[in-house]
């Protein structure tokens, strides 16, 4: 179990307060500078549950720069970082979330509220104490080994994607969080399924590689998506098989991680009723790992679509309920309902990095509405923005 918390803050008083709040239940590490903090992260990467980081460090780089450096360290791509500030300016909050921060704490720290929020963040990322202590079955990969392995693969994956889709890394991070929330909830609700907390963690890790097969396709095929004409359409569908093949015949000591990666890569676009692609399996024959990731993808797409709504979860759930029995099972819809709390947190705090052309288009539409409020013929809310091409993130619910 991860038993260490780290606070990086140049205020001795704030470090002391944080220590008092958590010292009974955690080993509290304290750093006064960015460099001390980064060194503590490196030394304790396998035991750290969360990092609390002041965004206004007086010595060395700013908190935002430190946040970026932490997530670039070996084994820290998914380490939750909470930003700490005395002045929660909206632009700072947005920037922090965009860079991967999971939450904000405002000084002065309220002990009970701080305890509850940090505990909630730890459980969402790492599971409860019981789930974290879940040991790997004999002969199977440990969770610590799986985490290091998937993060190495992920860095290589992102290095291939960086010149094609700058938004992909933020999409993968959110997909993993949503998948983990659904898998943990499924494990709790349906123990008879055989999905253990150990398996739920591995499926969350494996979700990062659902679309790895697209790397084998030409860019124009990837951008064309599933609705392009033949023969390009059939070529696009091949990415599921190509991705799945990548994880077959690997070292036995990496199982069952490799099996989950292969299942997800193959069937993450297959609907519960067998439609989608490939359409060789349906209903209970579909691997549970792929069903969870498929549902997580729909949640992510819908959260992106309804990001400006007051109650994002309500809109996402309503849209999914209309597709029950077709794209997802009744059980999976119930899991989404029971995972409301962690999903609401993810929808609120983990937003996708936007492409430059998307931001420019939003500004043009906003300007047009401001200058000519009476004008007609503007795109309806939710309509596809002109010029927005299909890519790794522009997924359609089929």
């Amino acid at each position: 179990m991860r038993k260490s918390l780290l606070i990086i803050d140049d205020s001795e008083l704030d470090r002391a307060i944080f220590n008092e709040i958590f010292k009974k239940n955690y080993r509290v590490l304290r750093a006064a500078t960015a460099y001390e903090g980064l060194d503590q992260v490196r030394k304790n990467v396998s035991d750290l549950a969360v990092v609390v980081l002041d965004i206004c460090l007086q010595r060395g780089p700013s908190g935002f720069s430190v946040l970026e450096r932490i997530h670039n360290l070996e084994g820290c791509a998914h380490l939750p970082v909470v930003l700490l500030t005395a002045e929660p300016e909206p632009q700072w909050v947005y920037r922090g979330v965009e860079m991967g921060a999971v939450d904000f704490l405002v000084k002065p720290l309220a002990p009970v509220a701080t305890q509850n929020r940090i505990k909630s963040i730890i459980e969402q990322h790492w599971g409860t104490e019981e789930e974290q202590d879940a040991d790997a079955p004999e002969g199977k990969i440990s969770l610590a080994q799986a985490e290091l392995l998937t993060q190495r693969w992920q860095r290589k994956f992102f290095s291939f994607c960086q010149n094609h889709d700058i938004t992909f890394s933020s999409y993968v991070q959110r997909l993993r969080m949503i998948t983990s929330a659904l898998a943990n909830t499924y494990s709790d609700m349906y123990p008879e399924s055989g999905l253990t907390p150990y398996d739920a963690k591995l499926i969350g890790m494996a979700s990062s590689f659902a679309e790895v097969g697209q790397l084998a396709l030409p860019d124009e095929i990837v951008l064309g998506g599933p609705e392009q004409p033949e023969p390009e359409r059939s070529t696009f569908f091949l990415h599921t098989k190509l991705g799945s093949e990548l994880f077959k015949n690997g070292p036995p000591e990496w199982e069952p991680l490799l099996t989950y990666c292969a299942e997800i890569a193959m069937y993450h676009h297959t609907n519960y009723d067998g439609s989608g692609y490939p359409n060789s399996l349906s209903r209970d024959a579909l691997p549970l790992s792929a069903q969870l990731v498929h549902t997580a993808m729909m949640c992510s797409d819908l959260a992106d679509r309804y990001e400006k709504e007051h109650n994002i979860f309500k809109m996402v759930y309503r849209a999914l309920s209309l597709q029950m029995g077709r794209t997802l099972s009744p059980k999976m819809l119930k899991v989404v309902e029971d995972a409301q709390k962690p999903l609401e947190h993810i929808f609120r705090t983990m937003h996708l990095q936007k492409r430059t052309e998307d931001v420019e288009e939003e500004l043009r539409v906003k300007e047009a509405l401001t200058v000519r409020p009476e004008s007609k013929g503007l795109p309806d809310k939710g309509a596809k923005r002109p010029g927005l091409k299909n890519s790794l993130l522009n997924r359609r619910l089929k």
Side-chain angles (χ1 to χ4, degrees), residues 104-264:
F104 263 80
L105 292 176
V106 180
K107 299 179 182 181
L109 296 176
V112 175
T114 301
Q115 277 184 329
N116 291 337
R117 290 175 73 175
I118 293 296
K119 181 181 178 182
S120 176
I121 289 167
I122 291 172
E123 290 185 352
Q124 287 170 20
H125 281 73
W126 309 112
T128 62
E129 290 187 14
E130 293 78 12
E131 290 170 343
Q132 290 186 56
D133 289 335
D135 201 6
E138 186 176 354
K140 303 297 183 181
I141 190 171
S142 71
L143 292 177
Q145 290 171 326
E147 184 68 51
L148 288 174
L149 191 61
T150 53
Q151 288 196 21
R152 288 170 185 162
W153 293 348
Q154 188 170 290
R155 278 197 303 276
K156 294 178 180 179
F157 191 9
F158 288 168
S159 70
F160 286 119
C161 298
Q162 63 185 347
N163 294 320
H164 301 272
D165 192 339
I166 63 170
T167 69
F168 192 56
S169 61
S170 62
Y171 175 81
V172 167
Q173 290 169 6
R174 184 167 74 172
L175 178 63
R176 173 172 171 168
M177 293 303 300
I178 296 173
T179 301
S180 295
L182 295 178
N184 289 332
T185 303
Y186 199 104
S187 176
D188 291 339
M189 291 181 65
Y190 303 110
E192 69 278 7
S193 69
L195 183 69
T196 66
Y198 166 80
D199 295 296
K201 291 277 185 295
L202 292 183
I203 290 172
M205 298 177 199
S207 68
S208 301
F209 310 101
E211 298 288 12
V212 69
Q214 291 195 19
L215 294 177
L217 302 180
D219 283 355
E220 59 271 18
I221 298 294
V222 173
L223 292 172
E227 295 184 348
Q228 60 191 308
E230 295 289 1
E232 290 83 1
R233 183 169 182 263
S234 293
T235 302
F236 177 81
F237 289 165
L238 288 176
H239 81 267
T240 58
K241 181 179 180 181
L242 294 170
S244 183
E245 290 293 330
L246 184 65
F247 297 103
K248 293 181 178 178
N249 302 317
E253 59 268 25
W254 289 358
E255 289 294 350
L257 176 63
L258 291 178
T259 294
Y260 288 138
C261 288
E263 291 175 348
I264 291 166

Side-chain angles (χ1 to χ4, degrees), residues 94 98 164-167 352-364 385-388:
Y94 180 80
E98 190 176 54
H164 301 272
D165 192 339
I166 63 170
T167 69
L352 301 186
Q353 181 182 358
K354 294 189 176 182
R355 303 178 184 85
T356 302
E357 58 267 31
D358 293 351
V359 175
E360 292 174 346
E361 179 63 28
E362 287 181 359
L363 291 174
R364 283 195 293 269
R385 292 189 291 269
L388 182 61

Side-chain angles (χ1 to χ4, degrees), residues 32-56:
T33 68
Y35 304 109
E36 291 176 11
L38 290 169
D39 189 49
Q40 290 278 26
V41 173
R42 292 188 190 94
K43 291 178 179 178
N44 299 279
V45 61
S46 63
D47 190 50
L48 269 178
V50 70
V51 174
V52 176
L53 171 63
D54 185 10
I55 61 176
C56 294

Side-chain angles (χ1 to χ4, degrees), residues 302-303 306-307 309-317 347:
L302 289 166
Y306 297 121
E307 65 176 347
E309 297 291 339
H310 173 68
N311 191 330
I312 301 176
F313 178 84
K314 181 179 179 180
M315 299 299 292
V316 170
Y317 181 79
F347 296 161

